[in-house]
Amino acid sequence: MIVVRLSSGQLAVINAIRLLDADYKRLEDIGYVGYVIVPNSFHASEAGYLAERYPEAKVLVPEALQSKLGTRFRVDGSIEKDWPPELHAELPRISLAGT
């Protein structure tokens, strides 16, 4: 799991994993979870847990997986179309086509 603390104080969590309760406290001590980013279906297993734990966080997944992952957990938008403007400067994203 990767956690990026943005200048706004928000945290962007990428490739979410389930943590121990004490570790959530440590996470929350450094900021509040504003984004849960799921880069692909292989790294989606715990995103639903974080989406539930942090209902105010925006959950972003690849556009091609919105329908599929949306049956497993709350999805607020796609990485390609809904990447928030406030993330562009601090956490730019690029799309790569894999095989």
Side-chain angles (χ1 to χ4, degrees), residues 1-72:
M1 179 166 93
I2 299 167
V3 177
V4 177
R5 186 174 187 276
L6 305 167
S7 62
S8 66
Q10 294 184 84
L11 303 177
V13 177
I14 306 161
N15 296 345
I17 60 170
R18 194 174 300 217
L19 303 172
L20 299 173
D21 286 338
D23 292 327
Y24 285 110
K25 169 75 170 96
R26 291 176 59 204
L27 182 68
E28 292 158 3
D29 283 346
I30 62 170
Y32 61 97
V33 178
Y35 302 96
V36 177
I37 301 167
V38 182
N40 55 52
S41 60
F42 298 112
H43 294 100
S45 61
E46 299 298 336
Y49 181 79
L50 257 65
E52 257 183 53
R53 185 174 179 100
Y54 302 105
E56 69 284 355
K58 188 171 205 168
V59 181
L60 300 174
V61 305
E63 184 177 13
L65 297 176
Q66 277 187 284
S67 296
K68 177 182 177 182
L69 295 178
T71 64
R72 295 173 45 196

